Amino acid sequence: MAWILLIIAGLFEMLAVIMMNQWHRQKSKTPFSFMIAGFAFSFLFLSKALETIPMSMGYAIWTGIGAAGGAIVGILFYNESKSAKRIFFLSLIILAVVGLKLLG
């Protein structure tokens, strides 16, 4: 169950970062409200997951989900660079997260 909570926390982290980008574009209350809610839920689910998962592993995986997810969203929806180097290093982040889970 803790791993599901950690994944949910990472997804809320991604939502919050996406909404931060939207807020910078629109300057309206809706994306700002979703950004605040996304970070709040992300921290809530992260804190619940860390009751079971060791902090070093949980935090690393949570930030990996947020970083890789944010980069993937940027590539897919915001026309950010799709260079081979960027994809390679993004793959390393994903492999590191999977590796942490498998070795933990």
Side-chain angles (χ1 to χ4, degrees), residues 23-45:
W23 180 65
H24 282 291
R25 292 170 183 255
Q26 297 176 0
K27 298 292 185 199
S28 69
K29 291 180 184 179
T30 302
F32 183 77
S33 299
F34 278 109
M35 178 185 71
I36 297 299
F39 282 128
F41 281 115
S42 179
F43 291 135
L44 173 71
F45 283 103

Side-chain angles (χ1 to χ4, degrees), residues 33-81:
S33 299
F34 278 109
M35 178 185 71
I36 297 299
F39 282 128
F41 281 115
S42 179
F43 291 135
L44 173 71
F45 283 103
L46 176 62
S47 69
K48 287 295 191 188
L50 293 181
E51 290 175 2
T52 305
I53 299 170
M55 186 273 305
S56 59
M57 184 182 305
Y59 182 74
I61 291 172
W62 175 72
T63 57
I65 292 170
I72 291 168
V73 167
I75 289 169
L76 294 176
F77 298 106
Y78 295 104
N79 201 29
E80 293 181 4
S81 171

